Amino acid sequence: MKHYRQELLFHTKTRRAYINITEQVQAAIDKSGIQEGLCLVNAMHISASVYINDDESGLLHDYETWLEKLAPHAPVSQYKHNDTGEDNADAHLKRQVMGREVVVAVTRGKLDFGPWEQIFYGEFDGRRDKRVLVKIIGE
Ligand code: ZN
């Protein structure tokens, strides 16, 4: 069995962002040389997510609106976590809802998706260096 590990780096200009990382993950699979196996992609921070869904601008807007309703960023004083001096309690909650990781089958060297599936990096506390882990195993 072969294995391959790579980190993807992000530094968004905005606090929140939704970035399609499918091409970067496929590029990692290409580098790995693995044809049949599994690909794990996970956010390495507890204020960011990796998830799979449609790359449709209306939907991305809907996530933003929905998550802000569930866990509004402001006022930051509404969260106990922010008593520590941080202001990112909402980002922890948004991350919990949107998930930590995805696992996708690799078949004939390609991500084996269902219709319209794309891999996204969801940033909820950006404007600093963040990492995503890609781990591929197979042969
Ligand atoms: Zn925090």
Side-chain angles (χ1 to χ4, degrees):
M1 190 189 72
K2 283 196 258 185
H3 53 90
Y4 179 80
R5 181 188 191 278
Q6 188 181 324
E7 291 180 8
L8 308 178
L9 307 176
F10 298 92
H11 189 127
T12 61
K13 291 192 182 118
T14 51
R15 178 179 291 274
R16 288 188 296 281
Y18 306 85
I19 301 167
N20 187 334
I21 61 170
T22 308
E23 281 184 18
Q24 291 174 73
V25 175
Q26 181 61 54
I29 294 171
D30 295 345
K31 260 190 235 165
S32 77
I34 289 167
Q35 290 294 302
E36 301 294 331
L38 292 173
C39 178
L40 165 77
V41 188
N42 70 267
M44 298 180 82
H45 301 265
I46 51 180
S47 54
S49 289
V50 172
Y51 69 92
I52 290 181
N53 217 304
D54 195 1
D55 191 355
E56 193 279 312
S57 60
L59 181 64
L60 298 179
H61 181 267
D62 292 339
Y63 278 131
E64 174 64 13
T65 305
W66 179 63
L67 289 168
E68 268 298 285
K69 267 188 215 158
L70 284 175
H73 174 70
V76 296
S77 61
Q78 72 191 299
Y79 299 106
K80 288 270 185 218
H81 177 65
N82 290 340
D83 292 347
T84 62
E86 291 191 82
D87 68 351
N88 70 353
D90 68 303
H92 291 280
L93 298 173
K94 287 165 174 139
R95 190 275 175 120
Q96 204 74 45
V97 168
M98 297 300 279
R100 171 183 183 265
E101 79 276 307
V102 300
V103 178
V104 183
V106 177
T107 305
R108 290 186 288 279
K110 298 288 177 204
L111 290 161
D112 200 342
F113 284 136
W116 303 108
E117 285 190 330
Q118 295 282 290
I119 305 173
F120 277 82
Y121 174 66
E123 176 62 82
F124 308 119
D125 185 23
R127 301 179 298 190
R128 56 194 172 101
D129 292 344
K130 305 284 274 278
R131 294 177 294 153
V132 165
L133 175 66
V134 181
K135 181 87 180 194
I136 306 157
I137 57 171
E139 52 193 14

